[in-house]
């Protein structure tokens, strides 16, 4: 029998985690999140193989990544609001089914244009299922079990992220890169069966009358699309006219978005949140940090495969220490921030990450994995482990508790936008254009330039923390902020935090 009962968030007895049904619900949300995570883990690793197979240019490969990030970034907040309004299980089911169909289209794409369009559709599905999975955990389980359920969800999806490089590399080198998408179809079918049979519906009773900010979502998407198209087109050698017009349209859409959000009663991005200097500063840090992470992890697999001759499995597993360290240390870093305040980890963590990126200057054609690659990714992982959890906790502590879900949603969107823009801009900034991504010397030179730029972004984030994140502004609230649970949320391979319901 299908699960039909309705649960209001925070009310009713809820489902016990130790029950058979509780375990099925946990399996459902872990598989749903893990499906998107596995897909995101391996796309960067597959780019060189895709390029050779499809005869795709670098700009086309950038769009393979950014088409997904564009729709995900523009619709993530909307997806969380839809779950509150029409039901979180219903939204999750819709997102999983959508993601599965789009994945099948990706796997069957005969040429680059179809693949890019299918990736954009995947992003829509991701925007529906991503906020819904954790929202279900927080709204369906018994209050006494929610902390354990969130921890189990976080750890198990983290394991999925860790397995991604192994599975993805094996698929790319074995059956082929198309299977990194096609494998989502049977996983999605299993999730749908479990969701319909075992997961109860839940929704926010107060959200039914709240209007969707359709205009805001459309303007945000047009802004991101126009700017991204202009940047990617420039790196691909397009004319000034063909890139200038989209750039102007994107900037105009961004300006219109800001005006609309100021005047709407229920905006997608409430300007009032940014009245908090701490909230503004931490989101500025998020833009810098996730641009740095997204940029270096976008080009590192290309460097390893093109300049060093790694196969897909070797390139995919090369960054495994980052995931392992995040799983082992992020929770401890969150506890450290509670004891000493967020400023030290938010200053020291980015600086350590910058050192890790600068160590990547040693990664060249004759580099050894043990002597050159491993130390760099290990130091990067240590730095990320130190700042990711305190950053999210500080974002949540910078606003009133009733706005914590919205604040975390805005912060997650900022991370996705940073990844989107850096993938669009970085190849142009470092001189990697046209077919140069297939030439070892060109890739090696551009990668080293990118390392300097990404290290600078980490340093800027550390400076921002030192100037604007003051203990007296955070410590009273930080102790009461929801404890962040870390998992590797892969958009361009970058870890992120999802500590609360995305609304």
């Amino acid at each position: 029998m299908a699960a039909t009962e309705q649960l209001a968030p925070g009310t009713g007895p809820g489902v016990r985690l130790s029950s058979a049904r509780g375990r099925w619900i946990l399996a459902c949300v872990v598989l749903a999140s893990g499906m998107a995570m596995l897909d995101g883990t391996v796309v960067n690793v597959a780019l060189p193989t895709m390029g050779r197979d499809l005869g795709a240019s670098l700009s086309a490969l950038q769009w393979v990544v950014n088409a997904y990030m564009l729709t995900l970034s523009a619709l993530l907040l909307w997806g969380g609001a839809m779950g509150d309004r029409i039901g979180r299980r219903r939204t999750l089911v819709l997102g999983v089914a959508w993601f599965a169909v789009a994945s099948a289209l990706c796997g069957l794409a005969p040429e680059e244009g179809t693949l890019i369009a299918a990736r954009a559709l995947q992003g829509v599905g991701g925007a529906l299922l991503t906020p819904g999975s954790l929202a279900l955990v927080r709204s369906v389980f018994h209050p006494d079990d929610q902390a354990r359920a969130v921890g189990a969800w976080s750890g198990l999806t983290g394991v999925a992220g860790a397995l991604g490089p192994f599975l993805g590399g094996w698929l790319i080198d074995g059956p082929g890169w198309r299977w990194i998408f096609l494998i989502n179809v049977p996983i999605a079918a299993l999730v749908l069966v479990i969701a319909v049979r075992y997961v109860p519906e839940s929704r926010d009773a107060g959200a039914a009358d709240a209007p969707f900010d359709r205009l805001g979502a459309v303007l945000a998407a047009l802004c991101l699309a126009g700017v991204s198209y202009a940047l990617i087109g420039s790196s691909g050698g397009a004319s000034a006219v063909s890139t200038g017009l989209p750039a102007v349209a994107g900037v105009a859409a961004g300006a219109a978005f800001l005006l609309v959000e100021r005047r709407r009663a229920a905006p997608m991005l409430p300007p009032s949140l940014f009245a908090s200097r701490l909230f503004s500063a931490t989101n500025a840090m998020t833009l810098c940090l996730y641009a740095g992470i997204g940029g270096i992890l976008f080009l590192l697999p290309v460097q390893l495969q093109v300049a060093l001759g790694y196969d897909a499995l070797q390139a995919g597993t090369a960054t495994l220490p980052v995931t392992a360290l995040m799983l082992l240390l992020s929770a401890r870093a969150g506890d450290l921030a509670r004891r000493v305040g967020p400023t030290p980890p938010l200053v020291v963590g980015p600086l350590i990450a910058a050192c890790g990126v600068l160590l990547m200057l040693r990664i060249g054609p004759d580099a050894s994995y043990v002597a050159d690659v491993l130390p760099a990714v290990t130091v990067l992982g240590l730095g990320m482990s130190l700042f990711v959890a305190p950053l999210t906790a500080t974002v949540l502590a910078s606003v009133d508790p009733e706005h914590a879900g919205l604040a975390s949603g805005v912060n997650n969107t900022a991370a996705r936008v940073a990844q989107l823009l850096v993938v669009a801009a970085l190849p142009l900034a470092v001189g990697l254009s046209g077919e140069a991504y297939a030439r070892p010397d060109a890739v090696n030179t551009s990668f080293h330039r990118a390392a300097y730029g990404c290290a600078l972004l980490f340093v800027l984030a550390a400076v921002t923390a030192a100037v604007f994140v003051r203990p007296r502004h955070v410590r009273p609230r930080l102790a009461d902020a929801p404890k962040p649970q870390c998992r590797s949320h892969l958009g361009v391979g970058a870890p992120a935090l999802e500590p609360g319901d995305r609304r």
Side-chain angles (χ1 to χ4, degrees):
M1 180 182 296
T4 57
E5 59 263 48
Q6 309 281 319
L7 295 179
T11 64
V15 179
R16 300 306 305 229
L17 181 61
S18 59
S19 67
R21 187 176 190 183
R23 291 190 291 271
W24 278 113
I25 294 171
L26 184 63
C28 177
V29 295
V30 166
L31 285 172
S33 300
M35 177 177 63
M37 187 176 305
L38 286 170
D39 185 77
T41 302
V42 298
V43 168
N44 282 359
V45 179
L47 291 178
T49 305
M50 289 179 187
R52 290 192 299 269
D53 189 34
L54 298 176
S57 65
L58 175 62
S59 60
L61 296 179
Q62 288 174 271
W63 274 115
V64 169
V65 175
N66 270 1
Y68 177 84
M69 296 303 302
L70 173 63
T71 50
L72 178 68
S73 301
L75 301 177
L76 188 62
L77 292 175
W78 202 12
M82 181 178 290
D84 291 345
R85 184 186 180 98
I86 70 171
R88 298 186 177 104
R89 185 190 70 169
R90 182 179 300 175
T91 304
L92 179 71
V93 167
L94 176 61
V96 169
W98 189 302
F99 195 89
V101 172
S103 296
L105 293 175
C106 289
L108 299 174
E111 42 79 35
E112 59 194 53
T114 305
L115 177 59
I116 292 168
R119 284 284 286 165
L121 291 175
Q122 259 195 324
V124 177
L128 294 174
L129 72 88
T130 296
S133 60
L134 185 55
L136 276 171
V137 172
R138 294 174 62 85
S139 61
V140 167
F141 283 104
H142 190 281
D144 293 341
D145 290 342
Q146 284 188 14
R148 286 195 302 127
V150 170
W153 171 87
S154 175
L156 290 172
T157 49
V159 170
L163 291 176
F166 292 102
L167 178 61
W170 177 79
L171 289 172
I172 295 164
D173 289 337
W177 64 266
R178 296 179 183 275
W179 281 93
I180 68 174
F181 301 113
L182 295 175
I183 198 173
N184 292 330
V185 177
I187 297 175
L190 179 59
V191 171
L192 292 175
V193 170
I194 298 174
V196 170
R197 184 169 180 83
Y198 293 105
V199 179
E201 185 59 278
S202 70
R203 58 172 53 88
D204 184 350
D209 298 327
F212 281 133
D213 186 10
R214 295 181 178 87
L215 181 58
V218 170
L219 289 172
L222 290 175
C223 173
L224 294 171
V227 174
S228 298
Y229 182 88
L231 292 170
I232 293 175
S234 297
S235 67
S239 67
V241 174
S242 61
T243 57
L245 291 177
V248 172
V251 171
F257 171 77
L258 295 176
L259 291 175
V260 167
E261 296 304 281
R262 284 181 174 276
R263 297 179 180 179
R264 294 186 80 84
M268 185 177 75
L269 183 65
S272 59
L273 283 177
F274 294 92
S276 165
R277 189 175 74 164
L278 181 61
F279 182 79
S280 300
T282 49
N283 278 283
M285 287 185 62
T286 298
L287 289 171
C288 291
L289 292 171
Y290 282 89
I293 295 168
I296 202 65
L297 294 183
F298 172 67
L299 289 181
L300 180 59
V302 179
Q303 169 77 349
L304 293 175
Q305 292 179 76
V306 176
L308 278 73
Y310 282 31
D311 61 27
L313 179 58
Q314 291 170 327
T317 56
T319 57
L320 186 59
V322 175
T323 302
L325 288 168
M326 292 287 294
L327 290 174
L328 290 173
L329 302 178
S330 286
R332 292 179 175 86
D335 291 335
L336 175 65
R338 281 177 167 76
R339 294 197 302 270
V340 305
T343 308
L346 290 181
V347 173
V348 176
L351 292 178
I352 293 176
C355 292
V357 172
L358 290 176
L359 283 174
M360 293 184 185
L361 294 171
R362 298 164 53 123
I363 301 176
D366 299 323
S368 160
Y369 178 77
V370 174
D372 301 308
V373 181
L374 181 59
V377 297
T378 300
V379 174
L380 175 63
L382 286 172
M384 290 169 56
S385 299
L386 191 57
F387 71 68
V388 169
L391 176 64
T392 302
T394 306
V395 170
L396 297 179
S398 68
V399 298
D400 294 330
E402 61 266 26
H403 298 309
L406 179 59
S408 63
V410 171
N411 189 246
N412 198 324
T413 301
R416 302 299 168 266
V417 169
Q419 294 166 356
L420 167 70
L421 295 179
V422 77
V423 171
L426 190 59
L428 175 64
V430 299
L432 190 63
S433 60
E435 304 298 329
Y437 78 94
R439 300 203 315 267
D441 57 337
V443 169
N444 187 60
T445 300
S446 297
F447 176 74
H448 288 167
R449 292 172 180 166
Y452 284 114
C454 292
L456 178 60
L457 288 169
F458 286 119
V459 172
L460 288 175
V463 172
T464 301
V467 173
F468 294 104
V469 180
R470 301 295 185 183
R472 67 179 182 273
H473 296 152
V474 184
R475 287 296 290 274
R477 285 181 173 178
L478 195 58
D480 299 325
K483 184 176 181 179
Q485 300 287 340
C486 175
R487 75 180 180 95
S488 198
H489 181 95
L490 295 218
V492 197
L497 275 264
E498 300 211 18
D501 185 354
R502 302 288 193 234
R503 297 188 181 181

